[in-house]
Amino acid sequence: MTWLPIYQELTDLARNWRLWLILAVVATMAGLAGPFDTYQDMSLPNRIIYWWLLVGVTFATGAAFGSVAERLIARICSKTFIVLGAGALLSAIPTTLVVVLINAIFGSTYGPADLVLLYAYVAAVMCGVCAITMLSRDWFSAAVPVASDDAKTPPIMSRLHGANRGALLRMSAQDHYVEVVTNRGSELLLMKLRDAVTEAAPTHGAQVHRSHWVATEAVSRSERIKGRVFLRLTDGCRVPVGRRYLKSARDAGLIASK
């Protein structure tokens, strides 16, 4: 498992001021309302501090451990709802410990039975956090402006740093990111592969795998290794061709005839 996508994903979440603004509003409202007996047990300043800590730290903990858990589970299961559900259950363990620690700071303790109930509650909340996180990824990635002054330049180039902009070679899905590779470098973008393929036009290319797209001019030859078909690109990379994409890749002239 590569850690760079996880690091970039968490970094992007940390920099999303709108997301943290929403969490701050939720925490402040909870501090003012005082649910779960905090209104009777705490003064207003303590309630505000308590709910800011609880909401902020538990969200950060859940997002961090959830990202790792999702990737570990995704290696053995491809069904999104199972990955998210199992990730929520696993990430709820450290998040529950964080809740216990924060409550201990404010003088609350838990017995064994209370811990079980607390975990069940946190696990349910974590399922909602996973859904919010997934939605926020799409929202914030869609908010990135894309435009190009040159009709021949793919819109996706405007998402890349200037040093990486060049001839588009290939794109590969990596979890919630897409690795965009040009003849000048590569970069991970927080977006979906299908959206990246749309923004690759007018560069001629084809999706040859559920996780890979290649530019037609970047393909130097096709290879067969142990019954599987691969495309060798001009940058030396070897990209697999999925079975469902064999016909379209052959029609595009990317696969040599037998």
Side-chain angles (χ1 to χ4, degrees):
M1 180 176 66
T2 58
W3 294 99
L4 182 58
I6 296 176
Y7 171 78
Q8 287 200 275
E9 180 177 331
L10 296 178
T11 299
D12 289 340
L13 283 176
R15 293 175 177 173
N16 285 330
W17 63 269
R18 283 174 289 188
L19 177 61
W20 289 103
L21 179 60
I22 292 173
L23 294 176
V25 171
V26 171
T28 301
M29 292 177 63
L32 294 174
F36 302 108
D37 296 327
T38 56
Y39 189 89
Q40 294 82 6
D41 298 340
M42 299 179 185
S43 64
L44 178 59
N46 283 346
R47 288 202 309 271
I48 296 296
I49 295 173
Y50 172 80
W51 283 107
W52 271 57
L53 276 174
L54 194 67
V55 172
V57 177
T58 54
F59 178 84
T61 302
F65 282 91
S67 293
V68 176
E70 286 175 19
R71 283 160 178 78
L72 291 174
I73 298 168
R75 300 175 70 177
I76 58 176
C77 178
S78 59
K79 294 186 179 297
T80 303
F81 72 94
I82 294 179
V83 173
L84 292 179
L89 294 177
L90 289 176
S91 60
I93 297 175
T95 305
T96 299
L97 297 178
V98 169
V99 173
V100 171
L101 177 61
I102 292 176
N103 280 307
I105 294 174
F106 286 83
S108 298
T109 58
Y110 292 90
D114 295 328
L115 287 174
V116 173
L117 290 176
L118 178 63
Y119 170 79
Y121 174 76
V122 171
V125 173
M126 288 304 302
C127 290
V129 170
C130 287
I132 292 172
T133 303
M134 291 297 295
L135 290 173
S136 68
R137 288 166 185 158
D138 292 342
W139 177 26
F140 293 124
S141 63
V144 177
V146 291
S148 175
D149 296 330
D150 186 351
K152 296 182 180 180
T153 301
I156 199 169
M157 286 298 137
S158 65
R159 294 181 182 265
L160 303 179
H161 292 99
N164 293 327
R165 296 176 185 175
L168 188 57
L169 302 181
R170 58 186 173 87
M171 299 186 296
S172 301
Q174 295 189 20
D175 299 310
H176 305 294
Y177 286 80
V178 173
E179 180 186 24
V180 180
V181 181
T182 71
N183 63 340
R184 299 182 62 185
S186 64
E187 191 170 331
L188 286 172
L189 300 178
L190 180 60
M191 63 189 308
K192 297 176 181 178
L193 181 60
R194 67 168 179 264
D195 295 331
V197 171
T198 300
E199 293 186 13
T203 301
H204 294 291
Q207 185 168 351
V208 296
H209 188 276
R210 67 178 182 178
S211 301
H212 299 284
W213 177 95
V214 298
T216 304
E217 294 185 357
V219 178
S220 59
R221 65 180 184 275
S222 61
E223 302 174 343
R224 293 182 181 274
I225 303 175
K226 295 182 179 180
R228 297 188 61 189
V229 179
F230 294 85
L231 298 177
R232 178 71 69 172
L233 273 60
T234 54
D235 65 346
C237 178
R238 191 166 60 196
V239 176
V241 179
R243 292 184 179 179
R244 59 178 293 190
Y245 298 93
L246 282 172
K247 184 179 184 302
S248 59
R250 188 173 290 109
D251 293 342
L254 301 178
I255 301 177
S257 301
K258 295 183 179 179

